[in-house]
Amino acid sequence: MADNGTDMDFEGPILELRRKIEELESFAESTEMDLRGQIEQLRQRCRELQREVVAKLTPWQRVQLARHPARPVFSDYLVQVFDDPLELHGDQAFGDDAAIYTGFAKFRGRSVLVVGHRKGKNTKERIACNFGSAQPEGYRKALLKMKLAEKFRLPILTFIDTPGAYPGVGAEERGQAHAIARNILEMSRLRTPIVCLVIGEGGSGGALGIGVGDRVLMLENAYYSVISPEGCSSILWKTAEQAPRAAAILKLTAQDLHGFGIVDQIVPEPLGGAHQAPGEACRNAADAIAEHLDQIVGTADERLLEQRYEKVRRIGVFLEGGAASAAASSNGAGRAVAPGATTR
Amino acid sequence: MAWDSFKRIRFRKKKEMPGGLWMRCPDCEKSVYKRAVEELLQVCPECNYHFEISVHERIAQLVDEGTFAETATGLRATDPLEFVAVKAYCDRLEAARKLTGLEDACIVGTGKIAGHDVVFGASDSRFLRGSMGSVVGEKFTRAVELATELRVPFVFVSGSGGGARMDEGVLSLMQMAKTSAALGRYDEAGGLYVALLTNPTMGGCMASFAALGDVTLAEPRALLGFAGPGVIKNTIRADLPKGFQRSEFLLEHGFLDMVVPRVEQKQVIARVLDHCRIRRSA
């Protein structure tokens, strides 16, 4: 895995400018000089710089932002977006996987079930959560609680942030593939509204295992991919060092996924990335979830399931009888779609 | 996902021996009489190694002669990501088409198995490791939808070691959702899905349609799992247990109904179809 520290160079000039502002502020304070004009100017310059940097971010830099050590993780959203969280443990079969959280909570006054990959905020927590890589138990726990939510028609809100499902001997012995497959199938037919939000890493099957819903939202700098850039690089170039190149060809950014019609909405992040203002990131996420939830709550079951099926059914790009049949959606055709593409 | 691990595993071509009467088993490397291998439906008489075979051979082995009618044809993969790495996806596709004579990594259609009407499909491990991109996902889904409509059993033989096809990125990943959702509806409608897993079935294919059979059979010693053995080895930095991720290992851990040698597969599937009759009305 690449070292986050060295890959965040694009943040350098911003941090430098911030330091200058702080210096100037403390200087102004200690000397009681009126430097408000200059400080405001620098702040303005800082915002412009951030805007410039964000506009030029490469897919690999977005991956770095998605993995930023200070980026808000699930536990931040749990605290800031929800009230009265009540965690529910265990898969009633093997264990309780800390890498996936499940529990009831209140979301703007409404009872919901919250499911989220847990990464932890410090080394101790990260180890306890296995860095967000879930075992089969995690997926089975999620399904068990989601079925409970279905019974009481509680909306399900999932928060996706995983480098991938854990590749280990025990995970294979206990059916990692089966657990994920079962979740995907069942989520496609749970009779309750589901909104999924990718908050950081959307690592392949491990993400999709809690990622099928009526709406799929994605934070601006999150990524969602069939394979990690490092894994892709290892396969193609026999080294993980080409990960930046792999990140570019995999088309894994929120913008790409929105173009493919897989993601319904990109949730804006604070300038410079979610870690610059975690509170704002959480508020944006909550607003987006609320907006989409309001649209689907109250939809008749049959219609809800029909629409959820259609959502995944139309994904894919291929030619048929010489004509392009392609993934397209209300978002409009993405760059992947051939000119003149028709919607199924 | 899970691509790296298959390159080393039994993709060697059958070595022809002089005279054409004998061949070398790619697994035990013994010289075996070709006729004996054929009689066992491409299985080594010495070590029971099941050779990887084409979808056409699968159809010939499992579907009643002359009953198979291919459906969902004329679908062609494009290159939505413009995926150019060491080799361009377009070129890889073209080479695979030439090698196998197939449009993509799977074939689906209608037919009969021991007189039972079925929708039948198989993926071909020779076509980009049987991996699932938009076309495989679409053909599989159409096959399941057809089985739902016709109210007949669905039998699918997977040889999809490539998992979700990397060259189509997240579009491939989403085929997992598409195929599984279709199977969910088929299940609701009272359908019967018999999955036969063959060497290799891994990654995104194993973590979607291949793991969702009502009855799941596997060929002996097939490599079946989520993460590739190489990836796991690198992660845990230890040797893997003997027989890890093979059919027998999955049977032992409760994920297969049966491990069935090739010569018995048709008969076993027919018995399952005989027991589980789909109700005519929903």
Side-chain angles (χ1 to χ4, degrees):
Chain A
M1 185 115 354
D3 177 7
N4 277 319
T6 57
D7 282 304
M8 302 302 291
D9 291 346
F10 58 93
E11 282 199 309
I14 298 167
L15 298 178
E16 178 67 27
L17 206 54
R18 281 231 179 109
R19 221 192 52 227
K20 274 190 190 150
I21 295 169
E22 272 169 34
E23 270 173 22
L24 212 55
E25 276 172 339
S26 61
F27 181 74
E29 208 171 308
S30 61
T31 59
E32 293 184 10
M33 278 170 70
D34 186 7
L35 297 170
R36 276 175 298 181
Q38 278 114 310
I39 290 171
E40 190 40 51
Q41 230 175 357
L42 276 179
R43 285 216 177 105
Q44 184 62 30
R45 174 74 200 115
C46 191
R47 280 193 292 271
E48 278 165 21
L49 194 62
Q50 281 182 321
R51 229 168 266 135
E52 282 166 30
V53 166
V54 168
K56 282 192 293 196
L57 282 179
T58 64
W60 176 242
Q61 285 170 331
R62 287 194 195 274
V63 170
Q64 296 310 310
L65 281 177
R67 294 170 176 170
H68 197 288
R71 187 177 178 83
V73 291
F74 171 71
S75 59
D76 296 299
Y77 291 89
L78 187 63
V79 170
Q80 301 211 27
V81 173
F82 299 98
D83 297 312
D84 303 330
L86 186 64
E87 183 173 2
L88 303 169
H89 292 274
D91 72 341
Q92 296 184 10
F94 183 82
D96 182 42
D97 186 357
I100 291 183
Y101 172 98
T102 55
F104 299 128
K106 287 279 183 189
F107 176 65
R108 299 193 171 173
R110 194 186 333 245
S111 280
V112 296
L113 180 82
V114 186
V115 179
H117 289 114
R118 203 156 32 184
K119 272 189 170 173
K121 290 188 78 71
N122 53 49
T123 305
K124 199 177 156 198
E125 282 179 19
R126 285 182 186 123
I127 291 169
C129 302
N130 200 22
F131 303 90
S133 278
Q135 305 275 353
E137 300 76 77
Y139 294 102
R140 295 199 173 105
K141 170 170 74 173
L143 181 56
L144 193 69
K145 313 311 176 194
M146 289 192 288
K147 289 208 164 182
L148 177 64
E150 177 188 41
K151 189 166 154 187
F152 298 99
R153 294 297 191 269
L154 301 181
I156 297 167
L157 307 179
T158 78
F159 291 76
I160 295 163
D161 188 11
T162 179
Y166 188 65
V169 173
E172 294 290 324
E173 285 174 337
R174 299 192 299 278
Q176 187 73 284
H178 284 74
I180 290 171
R182 181 51 59 186
N183 277 27
I184 296 171
L185 184 150
E186 296 297 346
M187 286 184 89
S188 76
R189 64 181 183 187
L190 282 174
R191 291 169 176 270
T192 197
I194 306 173
V195 176
C196 309
L197 172 64
V198 188
I199 55 173
E201 297 187 88
S204 196
L208 195 58
I210 58 166
V212 180
D214 302 298
R215 297 296 155 90
V216 179
L217 319 177
M218 206 167 156
L219 285 197
E220 190 182 338
N221 296 309
Y223 80 88
Y224 203 164
S225 180
V226 69
I227 187 169
S228 71
E230 289 84 356
C232 177
S233 168
S234 304
I235 291 169
L236 294 176
W237 294 286
K238 315 290 170 229
T239 163
E241 280 168 20
Q242 296 291 328
R245 236 169 115 188
I249 58 176
L250 281 167
K251 306 280 195 305
L252 45 62
T253 66
Q255 297 71 25
D256 291 322
L257 269 96
H258 189 253
F260 291 142
I262 295 168
V263 160
D264 299 286
Q265 192 197 316
I266 301 172
V267 179
E269 291 188 21
L271 205 50
H275 62 288
Q276 300 287 2
E280 189 186 330
C282 291
R283 272 194 305 280
N284 291 352
D287 289 345
I289 292 169
E291 186 193 329
H292 287 275
L293 201 55
D294 284 343
Q295 290 170 12
I296 51 176
V297 164
T299 309
D301 286 353
E302 293 312 319
R303 183 138 175 263
L304 190 71
L305 295 192
E306 188 64 40
Q307 288 172 352
R308 194 183 302 159
Y309 184 71
E310 273 309 310
K311 185 173 162 54
V312 291
R313 179 67 189 85
R314 64 172 180 244
I315 300 175
V317 178
F318 51 85
L319 293 167
E320 183 164 19
S325 185
S329 74
S330 53
N331 306 329
R335 71 174 93 157
V337 180
T342 53
T343 310
R344 256 183 51 81
Chain B
M1 54 167 42
W3 286 56
D4 53 338
S5 7
F6 309 105
K7 294 184 178 150
R8 290 166 281 107
I9 303 168
R10 287 157 200 158
F11 277 92
R12 287 164 284 182
K13 278 195 180 149
K14 296 172 225 168
K15 277 186 197 138
E16 297 291 330
M17 302 292 281
L21 287 174
W22 296 82
M23 62 190 292
R24 198 183 291 281
C25 169
D27 197 50
C28 68
E29 302 199 334
K30 283 187 182 141
S31 293
V32 288
Y33 191 40
K34 232 175 164 179
R35 269 272 279 290
V37 172
E38 275 160 23
E39 265 167 35
L40 290 171
L41 307 180
Q42 303 298 330
V43 173
C44 173
E46 292 288 334
C47 72
N48 195 30
Y49 175 68
H50 284 53
F51 297 157
E52 280 173 38
I53 58 175
S54 71
V55 285
H56 297 291
E57 283 172 286
R58 287 282 169 208
I59 293 166
Q61 288 177 11
L62 296 173
V63 182
D64 298 348
E65 205 182 333
T67 64
F68 185 76
E70 195 179 346
T71 60
T73 56
L75 271 59
R76 213 173 153 80
T78 62
D79 183 7
L81 269 53
E82 290 159 10
F83 197 92
V84 178
V86 183
K87 283 181 196 153
Y89 179 40
C90 296
D91 299 337
R92 275 162 44 78
L93 274 171
E94 218 30 71
R97 286 179 189 132
K98 234 176 229 164
L99 174 77
T100 59
L102 299 169
E103 293 174 326
D104 209 299
C106 85
I107 275 189
V108 298
T110 56
K112 286 181 190 289
I113 292 180
H116 296 271
D117 284 317
V118 297
V119 170
F120 179 89
S123 54
D124 196 313
S125 58
R126 301 167 310 152
F127 194 108
L128 301 181
R129 297 179 221 297
S131 58
M132 172 164 66
S134 297
V135 170
V136 170
E138 182 69 21
K139 289 176 90 161
F140 187 97
T141 303
R142 287 193 194 179
V144 175
E145 287 173 341
L146 181 62
T148 311
E149 190 192 317
L150 299 175
R151 305 198 62 78
V152 298
F154 176 58
V155 180
F156 195 86
V157 187
S158 68
S160 294
R165 192 177 294 170
M166 193 170 72
D167 315 56
E168 289 184 35
V170 73
L171 290 165
S172 297
L173 185 73
M174 293 300 151
Q175 302 308 309
M176 294 167 65
K178 185 158 112 183
T179 53
S180 301
L183 286 170
R185 289 186 144 200
Y186 179 56
D187 174 57
E188 294 273 298
L192 168 68
Y193 169 31
V194 180
L196 170 56
L197 314 182
T198 75
N199 188 44
T201 300
M202 299 292 290
C205 292
M206 194 64 231
S208 61
F209 67 83
L212 295 169
D214 292 303
V215 176
T216 308
L217 320 175
E219 288 201 327
R221 290 162 62 191
L223 184 73
L224 311 169
F226 177 66
V231 172
I232 297 173
K233 225 171 145 173
N234 278 339
T235 305
I236 64 170
R237 297 180 195 285
D239 286 330
L240 301 175
K242 201 169 180 298
F244 183 61
Q245 294 183 317
R246 297 286 164 182
S247 304
E248 296 72 16
F249 175 92
L250 269 80
L251 183 72
E252 191 189 321
H253 287 92
F255 293 101
L256 296 174
D257 290 292
M258 278 170 268
V259 175
V260 188
R262 208 167 269 166
V263 283
E264 294 169 25
Q265 285 166 2
K266 181 167 182 175
Q267 182 228 349
V268 168
I269 292 170
R271 286 172 67 189
V272 173
L273 299 181
D274 203 46
H275 284 298
C276 303
R277 300 300 181 105
I278 296 175
R279 285 167 287 122
R280 280 291 115 192
S281 59

mmCIF file of all heavy atoms in Angstrom, chain B residues 137-164:
data_model
loop_
_atom_site.group_PDB
_atom_site.id
_atom_site.type_symbol
_atom_site.label_atom_id
_atom_site.label_comp_id
_atom_site.label_asym_id
_atom_site.label_seq_id
_atom_site.Cartn_x
_atom_site.Cartn_y
_atom_site.Cartn_z
ATOM 1 N N GLY B 137 -22.785 -10.802 -18.184
ATOM 2 C CA GLY B 137 -23.831 -10.422 -17.233
ATOM 3 C C GLY B 137 -25.193 -10.342 -17.905
ATOM 4 O O GLY B 137 -26.199 -10.812 -17.378
ATOM 5 N N GLU B 138 -25.219 -9.764 -19.100
ATOM 6 C CA GLU B 138 -26.474 -9.587 -19.824
ATOM 7 C C GLU B 138 -27.039 -10.940 -20.292
ATOM 8 O O GLU B 138 -28.236 -11.203 -20.158
ATOM 9 C CB GLU B 138 -26.250 -8.659 -21.021
ATOM 10 C CG GLU B 138 -27.488 -8.357 -21.843
ATOM 11 C CD GLU B 138 -28.505 -7.499 -21.114
ATOM 12 O OE1 GLU B 138 -28.140 -6.803 -20.149
ATOM 13 O OE2 GLU B 138 -29.694 -7.545 -21.512
ATOM 14 N N LYS B 139 -26.168 -11.782 -20.837
ATOM 15 C CA LYS B 139 -26.640 -13.082 -21.338
ATOM 16 C C LYS B 139 -27.153 -13.942 -20.188
ATOM 17 O O LYS B 139 -28.195 -14.599 -20.297
ATOM 18 C CB LYS B 139 -25.515 -13.800 -22.095
ATOM 19 C CG LYS B 139 -25.201 -13.156 -23.431
ATOM 20 C CD LYS B 139 -24.030 -13.812 -24.131
ATOM 21 C CE LYS B 139 -24.497 -14.941 -25.014
ATOM 22 N NZ LYS B 139 -23.485 -15.307 -26.044
ATOM 23 N N PHE B 140 -26.414 -13.944 -19.091
ATOM 24 C CA PHE B 140 -26.843 -14.705 -17.918
ATOM 25 C C PHE B 140 -28.211 -14.206 -17.455
ATOM 26 O O PHE B 140 -29.129 -14.979 -17.206
ATOM 27 C CB PHE B 140 -25.809 -14.574 -16.794
ATOM 28 C CG PHE B 140 -26.084 -15.461 -15.603
ATOM 29 C CD1 PHE B 140 -25.446 -16.680 -15.468
ATOM 30 C CD2 PHE B 140 -26.995 -15.067 -14.617
ATOM 31 C CE1 PHE B 140 -25.707 -17.501 -14.372
ATOM 32 C CE2 PHE B 140 -27.266 -15.885 -13.531
ATOM 33 C CZ PHE B 140 -26.618 -17.103 -13.403
ATOM 34 N N THR B 141 -28.334 -12.883 -17.355
ATOM 35 C CA THR B 141 -29.582 -12.282 -16.868
ATOM 36 C C THR B 141 -30.750 -12.600 -17.802
ATOM 37 O O THR B 141 -31.841 -12.963 -17.351
ATOM 38 C CB THR B 141 -29.404 -10.759 -16.706
ATOM 39 O OG1 THR B 141 -28.311 -10.532 -15.813
ATOM 40 C CG2 THR B 141 -30.649 -10.103 -16.138
ATOM 41 N N ARG B 142 -30.509 -12.483 -19.102
ATOM 42 C CA ARG B 142 -31.582 -12.818 -20.054
ATOM 43 C C ARG B 142 -31.979 -14.286 -19.937
ATOM 44 O O ARG B 142 -33.161 -14.628 -20.078
ATOM 45 C CB ARG B 142 -31.134 -12.515 -21.489
ATOM 46 C CG ARG B 142 -31.089 -11.032 -21.767
ATOM 47 C CD ARG B 142 -30.954 -10.757 -23.252
ATOM 48 N NE ARG B 142 -30.592 -9.360 -23.463
ATOM 49 C CZ ARG B 142 -30.376 -8.822 -24.647
ATOM 50 N NH1 ARG B 142 -30.470 -9.560 -25.745
ATOM 51 N NH2 ARG B 142 -30.056 -7.547 -24.756
ATOM 52 N N ALA B 143 -30.997 -15.144 -19.708
ATOM 53 C CA ALA B 143 -31.293 -16.574 -19.559
ATOM 54 C C ALA B 143 -32.174 -16.817 -18.333
ATOM 55 O O ALA B 143 -33.157 -17.568 -18.394
ATOM 56 C CB ALA B 143 -30.002 -17.373 -19.451
ATOM 57 N N VAL B 144 -31.835 -16.148 -17.231
ATOM 58 C CA VAL B 144 -32.632 -16.301 -16.004
ATOM 59 C C VAL B 144 -34.042 -15.746 -16.220
ATOM 60 O O VAL B 144 -35.033 -16.358 -15.805
ATOM 61 C CB VAL B 144 -31.946 -15.589 -14.811
ATOM 62 C CG1 VAL B 144 -32.823 -15.641 -13.568
ATOM 63 C CG2 VAL B 144 -30.592 -16.221 -14.515
ATOM 64 N N GLU B 145 -34.128 -14.624 -16.901
ATOM 65 C CA GLU B 145 -35.446 -14.037 -17.175
ATOM 66 C C GLU B 145 -36.275 -14.958 -18.079
ATOM 67 O O GLU B 145 -37.485 -15.107 -17.898
ATOM 68 C CB GLU B 145 -35.284 -12.643 -17.809
ATOM 69 C CG GLU B 145 -34.815 -11.611 -16.783
ATOM 70 C CD GLU B 145 -34.473 -10.242 -17.382
ATOM 71 O OE1 GLU B 145 -34.245 -10.159 -18.600
ATOM 72 O OE2 GLU B 145 -34.419 -9.261 -16.632
ATOM 73 N N LEU B 146 -35.599 -15.610 -19.018
ATOM 74 C CA LEU B 146 -36.292 -16.547 -19.911
ATOM 75 C C LEU B 146 -36.797 -17.754 -19.112
ATOM 76 O O LEU B 146 -37.938 -18.203 -19.295
ATOM 77 C CB LEU B 146 -35.341 -16.996 -21.032
ATOM 78 C CG LEU B 146 -35.923 -17.950 -22.067
ATOM 79 C CD1 LEU B 146 -37.080 -17.291 -22.829
ATOM 80 C CD2 LEU B 146 -34.834 -18.400 -23.056
ATOM 81 N N ALA B 147 -35.955 -18.263 -18.221
ATOM 82 C CA ALA B 147 -36.359 -19.404 -17.385
ATOM 83 C C ALA B 147 -37.539 -19.020 -16.497
ATOM 84 O O ALA B 147 -38.449 -19.827 -16.250
ATOM 85 C CB ALA B 147 -35.184 -19.878 -16.534
ATOM 86 N N THR B 148 -37.546 -17.773 -16.029
ATOM 87 C CA THR B 148 -38.652 -17.277 -15.192
ATOM 88 C C THR B 148 -39.944 -17.251 -16.001
ATOM 89 O O THR B 148 -40.994 -17.701 -15.548
ATOM 90 C CB THR B 148 -38.335 -15.844 -14.675
ATOM 91 O OG1 THR B 148 -37.020 -15.830 -14.120
ATOM 92 C CG2 THR B 148 -39.329 -15.406 -13.616
ATOM 93 N N GLU B 149 -39.812 -16.744 -17.221
ATOM 94 C CA GLU B 149 -40.972 -16.617 -18.101
ATOM 95 C C GLU B 149 -41.505 -17.999 -18.521
ATOM 96 O O GLU B 149 -42.715 -18.232 -18.516
ATOM 97 C CB GLU B 149 -40.531 -15.818 -19.329
ATOM 98 C CG GLU B 149 -41.634 -15.374 -20.248
ATOM 99 C CD GLU B 149 -41.039 -14.862 -21.565
ATOM 100 O OE1 GLU B 149 -40.024 -14.128 -21.516
ATOM 101 O OE2 GLU B 149 -41.582 -15.215 -22.627
ATOM 102 N N LEU B 150 -40.584 -18.887 -18.859
ATOM 103 C CA LEU B 150 -40.998 -20.217 -19.332
ATOM 104 C C LEU B 150 -41.355 -21.167 -18.191
ATOM 105 O O LEU B 150 -41.867 -22.252 -18.422
ATOM 106 C CB LEU B 150 -39.878 -20.858 -20.172
ATOM 107 C CG LEU B 150 -39.451 -20.129 -21.442
ATOM 108 C CD1 LEU B 150 -38.253 -20.829 -22.085
ATOM 109 C CD2 LEU B 150 -40.611 -20.063 -22.435
ATOM 110 N N ARG B 151 -41.029 -20.737 -16.957
ATOM 111 C CA ARG B 151 -41.225 -21.578 -15.779
ATOM 112 C C ARG B 151 -40.546 -22.930 -15.930
ATOM 113 O O ARG B 151 -41.152 -23.985 -15.742
ATOM 114 C CB ARG B 151 -42.720 -21.748 -15.459
ATOM 115 C CG ARG B 151 -43.465 -20.423 -15.300
ATOM 116 C CD ARG B 151 -44.787 -20.572 -14.572
ATOM 117 N NE ARG B 151 -44.579 -21.064 -13.210
ATOM 118 C CZ ARG B 151 -44.169 -20.298 -12.196
ATOM 119 N NH1 ARG B 151 -43.938 -19.023 -12.379
ATOM 120 N NH2 ARG B 151 -44.014 -20.830 -11.009
ATOM 121 N N VAL B 152 -39.285 -22.878 -16.302
ATOM 122 C CA VAL B 152 -38.486 -24.107 -16.407
ATOM 123 C C VAL B 152 -37.231 -23.960 -15.557
ATOM 124 O O VAL B 152 -36.839 -22.838 -15.209
ATOM 125 C CB VAL B 152 -38.077 -24.399 -17.876
ATOM 126 C CG1 VAL B 152 -39.316 -24.608 -18.753
ATOM 127 C CG2 VAL B 152 -37.176 -23.301 -18.445
ATOM 128 N N PRO B 153 -36.586 -25.075 -15.204
ATOM 129 C CA PRO B 153 -35.348 -24.995 -14.431
ATOM 130 C C PRO B 153 -34.232 -24.297 -15.216
ATOM 131 O O PRO B 153 -34.246 -24.292 -16.445
ATOM 132 C CB PRO B 153 -34.978 -26.463 -14.188
ATOM 133 C CG PRO B 153 -36.253 -27.218 -14.349
ATOM 134 C CD PRO B 153 -37.036 -26.468 -15.389
ATOM 135 N N PHE B 154 -33.319 -23.750 -14.461
ATOM 136 C CA PHE B 154 -32.155 -23.074 -15.036
ATOM 137 C C PHE B 154 -30.906 -23.811 -14.575
ATOM 138 O O PHE B 154 -30.692 -24.004 -13.375
ATOM 139 C CB PHE B 154 -32.141 -21.618 -14.562
ATOM 140 C CG PHE B 154 -30.933 -20.826 -15.020
ATOM 141 C CD1 PHE B 154 -30.642 -20.693 -16.380
ATOM 142 C CD2 PHE B 154 -30.095 -20.204 -14.100
ATOM 143 C CE1 PHE B 154 -29.535 -19.959 -16.798
ATOM 144 C CE2 PHE B 154 -28.998 -19.465 -14.515
ATOM 145 C CZ PHE B 154 -28.716 -19.343 -15.873
ATOM 146 N N VAL B 155 -30.123 -24.257 -15.546
ATOM 147 C CA VAL B 155 -28.891 -24.988 -15.221
ATOM 148 C C VAL B 155 -27.725 -24.204 -15.789
ATOM 149 O O VAL B 155 -27.701 -23.900 -16.984
ATOM 150 C CB VAL B 155 -28.926 -26.411 -15.844
ATOM 151 C CG1 VAL B 155 -27.636 -27.165 -15.514
ATOM 152 C CG2 VAL B 155 -30.142 -27.185 -15.353
ATOM 153 N N PHE B 156 -26.795 -23.838 -14.919
ATOM 154 C CA PHE B 156 -25.637 -23.073 -15.417
ATOM 155 C C PHE B 156 -24.342 -23.713 -14.937
ATOM 156 O O PHE B 156 -24.179 -24.019 -13.761
ATOM 157 C CB PHE B 156 -25.702 -21.614 -14.969
ATOM 158 C CG PHE B 156 -24.749 -20.722 -15.745
ATOM 159 C CD1 PHE B 156 -25.136 -20.160 -16.964
ATOM 160 C CD2 PHE B 156 -23.460 -20.475 -15.279
ATOM 161 C CE1 PHE B 156 -24.261 -19.351 -17.693
ATOM 162 C CE2 PHE B 156 -22.577 -19.673 -16.004
ATOM 163 C CZ PHE B 156 -22.976 -19.105 -17.215
ATOM 164 N N VAL B 157 -23.436 -23.891 -15.893
ATOM 165 C CA VAL B 157 -22.122 -24.462 -15.592
ATOM 166 C C VAL B 157 -21.100 -23.335 -15.624
ATOM 167 O O VAL B 157 -20.888 -22.718 -16.672
ATOM 168 C CB VAL B 157 -21.737 -25.525 -16.650
ATOM 169 C CG1 VAL B 157 -20.447 -26.224 -16.238
ATOM 170 C CG2 VAL B 157 -22.867 -26.530 -16.843
ATOM 171 N N SER B 158 -20.494 -23.033 -14.485
ATOM 172 C CA SER B 158 -19.554 -21.914 -14.470
ATOM 173 C C SER B 158 -18.112 -22.394 -14.546
ATOM 174 O O SER B 158 -17.713 -23.322 -13.857
ATOM 175 C CB SER B 158 -19.748 -21.071 -13.210
ATOM 176 O OG SER B 158 -19.344 -21.808 -12.088
ATOM 177 N N GLY B 159 -17.374 -21.729 -15.423
ATOM 178 C CA GLY B 159 -15.925 -21.888 -15.454
ATOM 179 C C GLY B 159 -15.372 -20.490 -15.567
ATOM 180 O O GLY B 159 -14.889 -20.081 -16.606
ATOM 181 N N SER B 160 -15.527 -19.749 -14.490
ATOM 182 C CA SER B 160 -15.270 -18.311 -14.525
ATOM 183 C C SER B 160 -14.209 -17.909 -13.515
ATOM 184 O O SER B 160 -14.477 -17.220 -12.536
ATOM 185 C CB SER B 160 -16.566 -17.532 -14.272
ATOM 186 O OG SER B 160 -17.466 -17.732 -15.333
ATOM 187 N N GLY B 161 -12.989 -18.330 -13.781
ATOM 188 C CA GLY B 161 -11.896 -18.025 -12.856
ATOM 189 C C GLY B 161 -11.513 -16.569 -12.847
ATOM 190 O O GLY B 161 -10.902 -16.083 -11.904
ATOM 191 N N GLY B 162 -11.885 -15.859 -13.920
ATOM 192 C CA GLY B 162 -11.496 -14.459 -14.017
ATOM 193 C C GLY B 162 -12.336 -13.529 -13.174
ATOM 194 O O GLY B 162 -12.027 -12.358 -13.050
ATOM 195 N N GLY B 163 -13.422 -14.047 -12.575
ATOM 196 C CA GLY B 163 -14.281 -13.188 -11.762
ATOM 197 C C GLY B 163 -14.880 -12.075 -12.596
ATOM 198 O O GLY B 163 -15.174 -12.257 -13.780
ATOM 199 N N ALA B 164 -15.087 -10.928 -11.953
ATOM 200 C CA ALA B 164 -15.602 -9.762 -12.674
ATOM 201 C C ALA B 164 -14.472 -9.233 -13.564
ATOM 202 O O ALA B 164 -13.358 -9.034 -13.092
ATOM 203 C CB ALA B 164 -16.061 -8.697 -11.691
#
